Amino acid sequence: MLSVIIPSYNEEEMIAKTAQTVFAVLEQEAVDCELIFVNDGSSDRTQEEIDKAAAEDPRVHYVMFSRNFGKEAAIFAGLAAAKGDCAAVMDCDLQHPPAVLTQMYRLWEQGYEVIEGVKRSRGEETGFHHLSTKIFDRIMTKAVGQDMAMASDFRLLDRRAVDAVLSLHEQHPFFRALSSWVGFKTAQVKFTVARRQSGSSKWSVKALIKYAISNIAGFSSLPLYIAGGAGAVCLIAFLAGLIRMIILAAIGSAPAASSGIILVMLLLAGILMLALAVIGFYLARIYDEVKGRPRYIISRMK
Ligand code: UDP
Ligand code: MG
């Protein structure tokens, strides 16, 4: 059986349509399946729509969060609830074409354990969003060691890969990267990102920035190295200033006293503070992990 996990946040217009479309496609291919809607603290009628779909079809299940915990938490809750021999994750807005789902399923039947949906193009991103995702993808590609520019959350995992991903207990999981990181026999399927059928994108610029910072910190210590590098540059500058002063003193011309040194010291202090701030950020994350808070709190599930 295939479990299809669908994170849903304020998707009242999409629930019924998505359920119908996915069932239709999978029935046509005679794939046994269950749908798991994860209602990520929606404030609209999403839950009513899910209840309706669940009443109509026993293959519809759901997990309802007590508030909005974010898409990553929703994906992990869905994976934990999945009973299938394999599980796929797809968006609720049909931007991930359900036809590709059967393609993924066939690859799974052939023995692949992680089937990654890879975007053909980035769609209609413009301006700030385009630039920031480009920088983000660069850093993530380096940190994960796999091309993340076209990677997506649209993936199908074998039970073993699902269990492996679930065994990772980090507080800030990044599914797209972790499901590649766990390894297993991997295949890729290219897909074209469809237009969102209705509703609007749930990502604000603020949410995207938070997401990027969190995921970079989760996979990369690059910010630490940057601060360290800047610190080294400062020290070298400081040494150069010192040597210059000594030479000036040696040839008898009065060293241009305080001003230059003070500037260097100020710069140094500034950089050190920055480095401390970065270390503090990582410490905060360690603190988060140590506290071992649950990733989400479920108010009810079927
Ligand atoms: N989503 C979620 N929690 C959130 C934000 C989004 O579960 O806090 C879901 C959303 O309902 C959709 C998927 O994640 O099924 C992708 O979101 P969206 O379509 O807004 O992102 P985009 O396609 O614009 O990147
Ligand atoms: Mg979308």
Side-chain angles (χ1 to χ4, degrees):
M1 184 180 68
L2 164 67
S3 302
V4 182
I5 295 150
I6 309 177
S8 314
Y9 177 54
N10 292 343
E11 301 280 8
E12 56 182 6
E13 295 163 53
M14 290 308 303
I15 300 291
K17 198 170 187 178
T18 301
Q20 275 165 20
T21 313
V22 173
F23 279 139
V25 168
L26 292 178
E27 268 161 21
Q28 205 179 3
E29 299 277 330
V31 177
D32 185 22
C33 70
E34 65 170 357
L35 291 196
I36 304 172
F37 285 102
V38 185
N39 178 1
D40 184 12
S42 301
S43 53
D44 65 355
R45 292 182 38 83
T46 296
Q47 189 56 41
E48 280 91 326
E49 289 295 325
I50 293 174
D51 287 339
K52 225 194 284 172
E56 274 166 22
D57 196 317
R59 292 172 299 173
V60 174
H61 300 269
Y62 65 82
V63 176
M64 177 186 171
F65 282 177
S66 56
R67 63 167 170 86
N68 180 248
F69 279 90
K71 188 183 178 187
E72 295 292 329
I75 291 173
F76 276 78
L79 289 174
K83 294 181 215 66
D85 306 299
C86 57
V89 175
M90 70 183 287
D91 283 359
C92 195
D93 51 14
L94 294 177
Q95 286 194 287
H96 297 160
V100 177
L101 211 51
T102 46
Q103 227 177 310
M104 290 178 166
Y105 186 81
R106 297 292 170 227
L107 283 165
W108 174 74
E109 284 180 326
Q110 288 169 30
Y112 288 97
E113 291 163 307
V114 175
I115 297 105
E116 310 173 338
V118 179
K119 289 179 259 187
R120 272 215 185 82
S121 80
R122 304 226 38 146
E124 313 139 34
E125 289 164 356
T126 46
F128 174 76
H129 190 150
H130 181 74
L131 183 74
S132 52
T133 49
K134 222 171 146 174
I135 296 169
F136 173 66
D137 290 336
R138 268 279 163 78
I139 298 175
M140 286 311 291
T141 298
K142 257 229 131 96
V144 181
Q146 284 157 35
D147 186 14
M148 297 301 289
M150 296 299 170
S152 74
D153 288 329
F154 189 25
R155 277 151 189 263
L156 190 148
L157 306 188
D158 177 68
R159 169 54 48 192
R160 284 201 281 167
V162 171
D163 290 342
V165 168
L166 285 175
S167 75
L168 307 171
H169 286 291
E170 41 196 291
Q171 286 292 313
H172 303 276
F174 185 33
F175 173 70
R176 204 182 301 176
L178 288 176
S179 54
S180 293
W181 179 84
V182 293
F184 294 107
K185 197 176 172 203
T186 302
Q188 297 189 333
V189 175
K190 287 220 161 88
F191 73 97
T192 307
V193 181
R195 265 175 178 279
R196 186 177 244 283
Q197 297 239 345
S198 55
S200 60
S201 176
K202 312 296 177 223
W203 291 96
S204 62
V205 170
K206 190 179 145 211
L208 271 176
I209 292 173
K210 254 180 86 175
Y211 181 74
I213 292 177
S214 167
N215 291 329
I216 289 168
F219 269 88
S220 160
S221 302
L222 194 67
L224 269 179
Y225 301 141
I226 292 171
V233 168
C234 266
L235 269 180
I236 291 165
F238 170 73
L239 281 176
L242 201 69
I243 290 167
R244 179 178 163 271
M245 246 191 69
I246 292 168
I247 292 171
L248 281 178
I251 59 174
S253 73
S258 51
S259 60
I261 302 294
I262 287 174
L263 269 178
V264 170
M265 294 291 275
L266 274 176
L267 188 69
L268 207 71
I271 301 290
L272 280 174
M273 295 293 274
L274 198 75
L276 276 177
V278 173
I279 292 167
F281 179 63
Y282 280 86
L283 276 178
R285 287 180 62 93
I286 293 169
Y287 180 50
D288 262 354
E289 298 287 347
V290 170
K291 276 193 293 196
R293 255 189 227 140
R295 273 198 290 260
Y296 47 81
I297 300 163
I298 297 169
S299 66
R300 64 187 160 112
M301 60 189 286
K302 185 188 158 205

